[in-house]
Amino acid sequence: MDHITFLVAVVIVTALAFDFTNGFHDTANAMATSIATGALKPRTAVLVSGVLNIVGAFLSTEVAKTISGGIVDDTLVSPGMIFAGLVGAILWNLLTWLVGLPSSSSHALFGGLIGAVWVGAGSHGVHFDKVVEKVLIPAVASPVVAGVAALIATYLAYKLTARGRKDSVTKGFRIGQIASASLVSLAHGTNDAQKTMGIITLTLISAGALGHDAGPPVWVIASAGLAIGLGTYLGGWRIIRTMGKGLTEIQSPQGFAAETASTTVILTSAHLGFALSTTQVASGSILGAGLGRRLAEVRWGVAGRMVAAWLITLPSAALVGGISAAAVKHGGNFGTVVVALVGAAVAAGIVLVSRRNPVDASNVNDAHEVTLRTEPPARVGTAA
């Protein structure tokens, strides 16, 4: 415990804060379609998802090892650099949550870490070959693979049930969605909780508390699982609205197909150690499910905004992480405090703005877009 300095403790707490934002940011990946089709009530959905995220965190540590000893040189990384990278990731998560945009929490984390290490240790501190192999290639391939799988599964689902009674088919697939959405939640915990495990493990390695190439200790696995589970339970309602209603109008056979495709891709990649974005996988599956149903409407404008967000997530988080790392590197403890205060102030501002147009379990299915008011809503009994 002598290696757990104040800065290391701050980094661990910040990493768990990121994990919390990862949870509510990505709840939509598992539960948006089930909520949209009525297979699960909103509050029940996020509770089930939160519990299974915790369970999933204990299933594998391959992705955690990719982060702690793969994309950056752990011999050159300091706790201050990791802290700076986490600030960039958290702020990007909060900003995209505010506008209801399903961007990648994973790429926000990778971008923040890459930018911070690049500034703090130089370009040789980043293993760009591993970034391409473990991050960029899966980022391009995974939504395409998931989308094609969901498209085929949706087509077959409607084809095989074409002669069945519509209400019976809907009821049957809604029951199936409970299982398929639960599996997505389990897969999400397996994939995404590991990213925070990897960050905390990297911090402990950089502080000398763990040896190089060490895996995450049990307490790290448990704390990361609990943080992402709690964030998931609180529900990222703004993004659930976009995922469930924004891309296409989802029916229960489509929801079942999309969730099954997402689960398969996420669990396979976690086993192989690919730190892919579950948001991109789930979005690709929903698009594929939309294309797989005849006469279904796909809102390509929403899809285009999502893809644009995916493209700028990593460099945007890297920019914030790099600026934060420069402040920490040249300002020492004072610079660290300044970065923490500025980050906290920006985060608080985003949360306050979000209250002007709240989205919660009661109105998550009301519309397919999240809008932001410039003024607070009028009080009852007053002019609008």
Side-chain angles (χ1 to χ4, degrees):
M1 296 298 291
D2 294 339
H3 297 283
I4 308 299
T5 64
F6 176 74
L7 179 57
V8 170
V10 168
V11 174
I12 292 173
V13 171
T14 307
L16 293 176
F18 165 78
D19 206 24
F20 177 83
T21 67
N22 192 164
F24 74 70
H25 196 281
D26 288 3
T27 309
N29 299 343
M31 291 299 174
T33 52
S34 293
I35 292 172
T37 63
L40 286 168
K41 293 182 178 179
R43 288 292 181 190
T44 303
V46 296
L47 175 60
V48 170
S49 187
V51 171
L52 290 175
N53 265 265
I54 297 172
V55 175
F58 287 88
L59 296 184
S60 173
T61 58
E62 291 304 315
V63 174
K65 292 175 183 177
T66 295
I67 294 172
S68 63
I71 63 174
V72 295
D73 187 342
D74 59 19
T75 63
L76 299 176
V77 174
S78 69
M81 295 178 203
I82 298 172
F83 171 73
L86 287 168
V87 170
I90 290 172
L91 292 182
W92 183 257
N93 267 0
L94 290 174
L95 180 62
T96 50
W97 162 78
L98 175 66
V99 297
L101 200 58
S103 70
S104 171
S105 296
S106 305
H107 289 179
L109 177 61
F110 301 147
L113 183 61
I114 290 169
V117 172
W118 196 339
V119 169
S123 60
H124 57 284
V126 181
H127 296 153
F128 289 102
D129 57 333
K130 290 294 183 183
V131 173
V132 172
E133 176 189 352
K134 297 288 188 178
V135 178
L136 297 184
I137 292 178
V140 174
S142 59
V144 174
V145 172
V148 171
L151 187 154
I152 295 172
T154 298
Y155 174 80
L156 291 175
Y158 281 104
K159 191 76 172 175
L160 294 173
T161 60
R163 297 180 181 228
R165 291 176 55 189
K166 185 175 181 181
D167 56 345
S168 298
V169 171
T170 298
K171 182 179 179 180
F173 275 111
R174 282 182 177 176
I175 294 172
Q177 273 195 275
I178 297 174
S180 60
S182 297
L183 286 173
V184 177
S185 296
L186 193 70
H188 181 262
T190 301
N191 190 279
D192 279 44
Q194 287 191 65
K195 293 158 190 172
T196 297
M197 294 178 209
I199 288 295
I200 295 176
T201 302
L202 180 60
T203 302
L204 296 173
I205 291 172
S206 69
L210 292 175
H212 296 295
D213 299 323
V218 174
W219 69 266
V220 172
I221 297 173
S223 59
L226 287 170
I228 200 168
L230 181 59
T232 300
Y233 173 68
L234 291 180
W237 304 112
R238 307 173 83 83
I239 298 177
I240 289 174
R241 173 182 286 185
T242 301
M243 292 279 277
K245 294 290 185 180
L247 286 172
T248 185
E249 291 297 326
I250 290 287
Q251 296 181 354
S252 55
Q254 294 168 284
F256 178 77
E259 290 158 1
T260 303
S262 295
T263 300
T264 303
V265 173
I266 294 169
L267 286 179
T268 301
S269 67
H271 177 71
L272 296 174
F274 292 124
L276 53 71
S277 165
T278 54
T279 299
Q280 293 181 0
V281 172
S283 301
S285 294
I286 292 172
L287 279 174
L291 293 171
R293 177 167 69 92
R294 186 181 179 186
L295 302 179
E297 176 191 2
V298 175
R299 300 185 181 97
W300 293 108
V302 176
R305 290 196 294 273
M306 286 172 53
V307 172
W310 295 351
L311 293 175
I312 66 173
T313 291
L314 196 148
S316 297
L319 178 62
V320 177
I323 293 172
S324 301
V328 171
K329 180 178 180 180
H330 298 293
N333 291 335
F334 177 75
T336 302
V337 171
V338 170
V339 169
L341 291 176
V342 171
V346 173
I350 291 173
V351 172
L352 287 175
V353 171
S354 74
R355 292 181 178 176
R356 296 180 180 274
N357 186 27
V359 181
D360 53 34
S362 65
N363 65 357
V364 68
N365 282 332
D366 287 356
H368 68 264
E369 289 187 72
V370 173
T371 56
L372 298 177
R373 290 192 179 101
T374 56
E375 297 179 357
R379 296 181 180 177
V380 176
T382 62

